[in-house]
Amino acid sequence: MIPWLHPDTPFPDTTQALGPDSDAPGLLAAGDDLSTQRLQAAYQRGIFPWFSEGQPVLWWSTDPRMVLPVAEFKLSRSLRKTLQRFLITPGCELRIDSAFESVLQACASTPRDGQGGTWILPEMRAVYAQWHRMGRVHSFETWIDGALVGGLYGVSIGRMFYGESMFAHRTDASKIALAGLVAFCRRHGIDVIDCQQETAHLASLGARPWPRARFEDHLNRVTALPPPDNWAYDESIWSEMT
């Protein structure tokens, strides 16, 4: 049985999550509490919410866990050329946190292959927007001629970044935002970006699965460290990509 979490109920040990032979591998608990306090407690332990409309809040701890070690980010030749062209073209900009709620809305509404809906429901958008105002959630944004054409958002705790979702309305726009995030992480001593779910697309960019125990050990070491003190775009971060 999956435990039901009341507001004052702690998370169970992550080893109690459903295993690979179940219908929902990684499912740990359910409840109706989606506060910023609950999110903070979850992310510090590598637990994340993921549920559909009409479901309770479902909490997950997958094993293995897909992560992107930033030193292993694969900047392909074509993406490198795209990025170089983007950086020298007037009207093309990378921004951080300039339109967070627009990024959140775009991630929720942009159609995706094989998906008929979104898990970024109104209640999810509301609590992550609140968490953003508290300085915990950030967006990396690709802009062309004053239009937001791609981006991503994720959670920052200590020296850990947890990627949540991305979108693109132009070719490679989300990859440009991801490259900006990787460069920022390298500059600020963030070694790993959490990707949650294993996909071929993420693997092509350098992400790979870690056993849950290794992931949690990493979190124990880095979430207690001081976070970056300035979430602002500085074009000098691109030197980290060479």
Side-chain angles (χ1 to χ4, degrees):
M1 294 291 293
I2 294 298
W4 182 268
L5 305 181
H6 298 283
D8 58 349
T9 308
F11 283 108
D13 192 280
T14 55
T15 59
Q16 296 182 30
L18 297 183
D21 295 332
S22 74
D23 292 334
L27 181 58
L28 177 67
D32 55 12
D33 177 18
L34 193 62
S35 63
T36 58
Q37 294 86 353
R38 175 65 77 177
L39 287 171
Q40 177 78 22
Y43 278 82
Q44 284 188 294
R45 294 183 56 189
I47 300 165
F48 60 92
W50 185 36
F51 58 99
S52 301
E53 187 173 4
Q55 293 181 326
V57 181
L58 301 178
W59 298 96
W60 303 78
S61 172
T62 54
D63 188 12
R65 185 66 161 253
M66 197 69 165
V67 301
L68 174 58
V70 299
E72 299 175 20
F73 177 64
K74 294 179 180 178
L75 188 64
S76 67
R77 181 178 300 178
S78 61
L79 180 57
R80 184 181 295 275
K81 289 181 178 179
T82 296
L83 185 57
Q84 289 171 341
R85 186 167 57 250
F86 178 86
L87 294 175
I88 65 173
T89 301
C92 293
E93 303 175 79
L94 182 79
R95 302 179 188 175
I96 300 175
D97 289 342
S98 76
F100 175 80
E101 294 197 30
S102 295
V103 171
L104 198 61
Q105 178 61 41
C107 287
S109 61
T110 300
R112 303 175 192 277
D113 292 341
Q115 294 185 19
T118 180
W119 59 271
I120 311 175
L121 302 173
E123 56 265 45
M124 291 280 278
R125 296 199 294 273
V127 72
Y128 280 87
Q130 179 185 0
W131 219 16
H132 165 70
R133 292 189 291 270
M134 297 166 64
R136 189 64 78 193
V137 190
H138 301 280
S139 59
F140 283 70
E141 308 153 7
T142 305
W143 291 79
I144 298 179
D145 295 331
L148 176 65
V149 298
L152 60 86
Y153 76 95
V155 175
S156 167
I157 300 179
R159 297 285 165 163
M160 183 67 197
F161 193 90
Y162 307 78
E164 287 295 306
S165 186
M166 60 175 59
F167 80 97
H169 292 164
R170 297 275 191 94
T171 301
D172 288 336
S174 60
K175 290 183 181 179
I176 291 170
L178 177 59
L181 169 62
V182 168
F184 181 93
C185 288
R186 289 178 177 176
R187 172 63 57 87
H188 292 278
I190 297 172
D191 296 330
V192 172
I193 298 169
D194 174 35
C195 301
Q196 295 180 354
Q197 302 290 341
E198 186 171 356
T199 69
H201 172 66
L202 289 169
S204 72
L205 296 171
R208 53 192 173 90
W210 275 8
R212 179 195 287 133
R214 180 180 180 183
F215 180 67
E216 291 179 349
D217 179 66
H218 181 77
L219 293 185
N220 289 337
R221 289 186 287 106
V222 302
T223 57
L225 297 174
D229 58 5
N230 186 15
W231 287 85
Y233 173 67
D234 182 340
E235 65 179 8
S236 70
I237 63 171
W238 294 111
S239 65
E240 303 291 337
M241 302 302 289
T242 59

